[in-house]
Amino acid sequence: MRSVCKEFVKGIRTLDDICLHVARHEFVVLIGTSGCGKTTTMKMINKLVQPTSGEILIDGTNISQINAIELRRNIGYVIQEIGLLPHMTVAQNIALVPELKGWPVRKREERVEELLSLIGLDPALYKKKKPSQLSGGQKQRVGVARALAADPEIILMDEPFGALDPITRIQLQDELVRLIRRVKKTIVFVTHDMEEAVKFADKIVIMDAGRIVQAGSIQEIFKNPKNDFVRNFFRMHDVYNKLRAMKVEDAAVPVLFDGPRPQHGIDAGEPLSRALGVMLERGINCLFVRGTSEENLQVTFESIYRITGQ
């Protein structure tokens, strides 16, 4: 996006000078308070909202030159309301865009079975069901499968887990993390939940009053928040965010005793939350740190305790 502005009412800017670059296969999370413009920003990517000024380019092509229907068929879209067609079966819902794109029947059937297996729903049990026969979590899984069906390069996700109960929400968040590693897509994700943003994002874009306040990696923003508005977002779930935002190398300390280094190790670039999880799982109190220029570094419960300020 280059200098994108949006006015729904003449002279009043809902979005003001939005400049944003999303790299291929990057997971970008737009976050901010209600009404800050994050959903409007995302909807402009598939022309559900037209910018008043500025440019939006995909692979160097201005989307103003692309037919809106064709553009949307090549971009997956997952929303909170899910939007499954009630009169169609699960299989028909998933195969809708591939059918519109002219895929042969056999290829569509194979894709439906592949995706249902990928999202953890047995094709034999679910492909003939109607949306009314599914739970909320199952409907959302099918919504994700439909977005992936035609193998689009870009996926847009607008608060996809916001209407789910907390347990189902956490389960689907974890499944999405697993899916991301497998399917390698460019994803733009809208949420108001910083905990969710930290779990997913390669890049977080924090918005307020129609502007981008700060954009960068979790670690960059956590270590160097631009202002109090950004700082307050991280305070909402402070310890959780610190553990996910900081890397093992941030809490690495020298081994302070003579003798062999700790038996178990972890890479310096792993999230600190991963180190803590490994130590708790294995019942140990330290890990040696791999992948640094220094030797004999370790991370311990004490070093994690100190750096998170607990």
Side-chain angles (χ1 to χ4, degrees), residues 9-301:
V9 177
K10 188 172 178 60
I12 301 175
R13 288 190 172 181
T14 302
L15 294 176
D16 189 8
D17 195 27
I18 298 296
C19 296
L20 177 63
H21 178 261
V22 179
R24 187 179 296 274
H25 299 165
E26 188 173 38
F27 197 122
V28 173
V29 173
L30 307 181
I31 188 168
T33 53
S34 296
C36 70
K38 53 190 184 291
T39 294
T40 300
T41 300
M42 188 196 69
K43 285 183 174 180
M44 289 196 295
I45 296 171
N46 64 353
K47 298 179 81 168
L48 287 174
V49 174
Q50 298 285 349
T52 303
S53 60
E55 295 181 313
I56 302 169
L57 298 94
I58 296 177
D59 290 334
T61 300
N62 193 320
I63 65 170
S64 65
Q65 301 171 13
I66 304 174
N67 176 272
I69 294 174
E70 187 61 28
L71 178 71
R72 290 170 196 155
R73 287 179 183 176
N74 288 288
I75 295 177
Y77 191 34
V78 185
I79 57 176
Q80 182 174 320
E81 295 81 10
I82 306 166
L84 299 180
L85 298 174
H87 62 286
M88 289 185 171
T89 65
V90 165
Q92 289 169 332
N93 268 283
I94 294 173
L96 182 60
V97 174
E99 182 177 1
L100 292 171
K101 290 173 72 70
W103 287 25
V105 173
R106 184 60 187 155
K107 184 179 179 181
R108 297 201 304 265
E109 291 174 346
E110 289 173 350
R111 184 62 170 161
V112 167
E113 300 225 350
E114 176 191 1
L115 288 171
L116 283 173
S117 298
L118 189 65
I119 62 171
L121 297 178
D122 184 346
L125 295 177
Y126 287 96
K127 65 182 180 181
K128 293 183 179 180
K129 287 190 175 186
K130 296 287 183 67
S132 61
Q133 298 174 285
L134 305 177
S135 69
Q138 289 167 346
K139 288 177 184 176
Q140 198 58 274
R141 285 179 173 88
V142 174
V144 172
R146 184 176 61 181
L148 293 169
D151 200 23
E153 176 62 30
I154 299 169
I155 307 285
L156 307 179
M157 308 186 84
D158 189 4
E159 302 264 13
F161 309 131
L164 301 174
D165 65 87
I167 293 175
T168 304
R169 179 180 179 132
I170 291 169
Q171 289 174 341
L172 286 187
Q173 287 172 344
D174 291 342
E175 287 184 14
L176 181 59
V177 170
R178 176 180 58 83
L179 273 172
I180 292 163
R181 291 177 182 145
R182 293 187 61 178
V183 299
K184 301 291 185 185
K185 300 295 180 184
T186 303
I187 300 176
V188 179
F189 187 104
V190 166
T191 185
H192 65 277
D193 184 344
M194 188 50 133
E195 196 166 301
E196 194 166 68
V198 169
K199 179 176 279 192
F200 293 135
D202 298 313
K203 178 189 290 179
I204 291 179
V205 179
I206 298 178
M207 299 184 67
D208 183 40
R211 286 180 169 269
I212 293 176
V213 181
Q214 188 170 359
S217 71
I218 299 161
Q219 291 80 14
E220 289 167 352
I221 295 178
F222 179 77
K223 291 178 181 178
N224 297 294
K226 188 174 181 179
N227 54 28
D228 286 340
F229 180 84
V230 175
R231 222 170 268 113
N232 288 336
F233 261 99
F234 276 94
R235 284 182 184 146
M236 290 192 298
H237 303 281
D238 199 37
V239 177
Y240 176 88
N241 288 327
K242 284 180 179 180
L243 289 171
R244 286 196 171 270
M246 302 182 85
K247 295 182 180 179
V248 167
E249 62 188 355
D250 296 322
V253 295
V255 176
L256 299 178
F257 54 85
D258 294 327
R261 63 183 179 177
Q263 181 181 358
H264 300 285
I266 190 165
D267 291 340
E270 288 276 4
L272 208 49
S273 58
R274 172 66 179 150
L276 185 60
V278 170
M279 285 191 281
L280 291 171
E281 181 183 323
R282 297 180 179 176
I284 56 180
N285 62 11
C286 61
L287 297 164
F288 75 84
V289 180
R290 299 186 294 253
T292 67
S293 57
E294 297 183 57
E295 295 182 357
N296 297 322
L297 290 179
Q298 64 179 350
V299 60
T300 68
F301 280 125

